Amino acid sequence: MNYHWNWGIFAQQVQAGEETYFDWLLSGLGWTVACSLSAWVIALALGTAIGVLRTTRSRTLSGAGAAWVELFRNIPLLVQMFLWFFVVPELLPRELSLWIKQDMPAKEFVTATLCLGLFTSARIAEQVRAGIQSLPRGQRDAALALGLSSAQAYRHVLLPRALRVIMAPLTSEFMNTFKNSSVAYAIGLLELTFRARQMQEDSEQGIETYIAVTLLYFLCAFIANRVMALIEARTRIPGSIG
Amino acid sequence: MISIRGVSKWYGPTRVLDDCSTEVAKGEVVVVCGPSGSGKSTLIKCVNGLEPVQRGEVVVDGVSVTAAGTDLNRLRARVGMVFQHFELFPHLSITDNLTLGQTRVLGRSRDEAITRGLAMLDRVGLAAHRDKFPAQLSGGQQQRVAIARALAMDPVCMLFDEPTSALDPEMISEVLDVMVKLAEEGMTMMCVTHEMGFARRVAHRVIFMDHGRIVEDCTKESFFGTPRSERAQQFLAKILRH
Ligand SMILES: Nc1ncnc2c1ncn2[C@@H]1O[C@H](COP(=O)(O)OP(=O)(O)OP(=O)(O)O)[C@@H](O)[C@H]1O
Ligand SMILES: [Mg+2]
């Protein structure tokens, strides 16, 4: 192999500009983190709400929750990105559609975040549902017997317990969110993967580029994992196993 | 205080309560017994509306549980309930278990709720455990906390669903002692239990259920003298033999 290694490439300026390749990757990392964290907030809020709906006694509500989950879970993420980016704006009223296409600020970021948030919400909803259903039925009865409303029973008893139960899958999901955000390069969000491809073409140092990017993704997922582990330790119930 | 009138309940095609009627007067202690699956839990859960019924009426302290439009949360706040598996909230400290309903349902201030909760905890002899979590207590202690939690709501009556049947023998008496004291202080109580010693000591009446039906509903004296139904005689013979 006569590949010409050049680890100094990151400090060099890009072909057409003042910035260095390091600047590109750093700004890509910034968008990746911003998109993943925002999507995670959306996913956690929506996913919890929909997971709860799926455990209510109302057929309509739990049916609506099931439809949501199936919708976002059965379509590949990349296709969802394209749908949100190219198709959904066309279906909106003319004015709104024009505004989105021409004037919406940070269009790629908003679209990617929303798409990733909704996609992940369906997965979290399933975990929340399973978590709630794993609790003994007596817990709900005991909460209601005290006079708590259904909403209060979820808020103070069922969810705090269910979320602890699903900490392990939730941790994986948080890490997945970072990794899945790379799909956003396809609609032109200048995130890490986009910047990697750009740098590879611009510098022709593909191996160094992807080694660096791999490490950066690894770091993100690793930090996400540690953060969740910290939360898990903090919320551990005294006297329980593990 | 509690009046159950012609209550029937079905799960799908199976009838689990069959035209049940009985009354519990203020200050009266009524023990409900009968073979497994006879509908005891279902009956007692109808009293605070945890189980809806298809036919008949339940009235507690002048409020119809079964009527549409009844504020069930408000009613449940005034009816204490104790479960076979304690159903303390494991993620909350003992103090928080005692105050949750008081602050969220009765609108008491935290200080007020703590004062009241700890007074009840003291009453069941566990004041020293206020800062522990449920998993750090024995079964008998957990059940006594559960009784204190119900009492902290200042209930007009108490429902017990086999409060000692998940306990080791040596813990049964510590829970029964608390219940006997409560009965002697004039609390209106409806207890599903097979502790015939308890029934002999404090019950005014005994109800015997079989196949969803109230087969015997008589004074303690006549129940332990000679129950009229053969089914109840067999049942008594079986449980008193041990
Ligand atoms: N959710 C349910 N769906 C269908 N059937 C049920 C349900 N809950 C209870 N049953 C049935 O209703 C009948 C009465 O149950 P219940 O729990 O009231 O009996 P029990 O007298 O309390 O019995 P045990 O002594 O075992 O606690 C049983 O035959 C049971 O199988
Ligand atoms: Mg039962």
Side-chain angles (χ1 to χ4, degrees), chain A residues 139 144-147 156 237-238, chain B residues 73 76 87-88 90-91 133 153:
Chain A
Q139 287 281 297
L144 296 179
L146 276 177
H156 298 290
I237 298 168
Chain B
N73 299 330
R76 287 175 185 145
E87 305 302 350
L88 293 178
H91 60 295
F133 280 73
M153 301 291 285

Side-chain angles (χ1 to χ4, degrees), chain A residues 57 136-150 152 155-158 160-161 164 237-240, chain B residues 11 45 48 50-51 73 76-77 79 81 83 87-92 97 100-101 104-105 133 135-136 149-150 153:
Chain A
R57 290 197 185 157
R137 180 189 161 186
Q139 287 281 297
R140 186 196 291 250
D141 281 351
L144 296 179
L146 276 177
L148 296 178
S149 66
S150 239
Q152 286 175 319
R155 158 79 182 75
H156 298 290
V157 177
L158 302 177
R161 287 200 63 190
R164 282 177 173 87
I237 298 168
S240 61
Chain B
Y11 280 118
K45 283 180 185 169
N48 63 355
L50 282 179
E51 291 284 359
N73 299 330
R76 287 175 185 145
V79 178
M81 186 156 201
F83 299 83
E87 305 302 350
L88 293 178
F89 307 132
H91 60 295
L92 299 178
N97 265 279
L100 179 65
R104 300 288 162 182
V105 180
F133 280 73
Q136 296 170 318
R149 176 175 73 180
M153 301 291 285

Side-chain angles (χ1 to χ4, degrees), chain B residues 152-165:
Chain B
M153 301 291 285
D154 298 316
V156 294
C157 60
M158 290 279 288
L159 310 173
F160 294 83
D161 188 4
E162 305 206 38
T164 58
S165 58

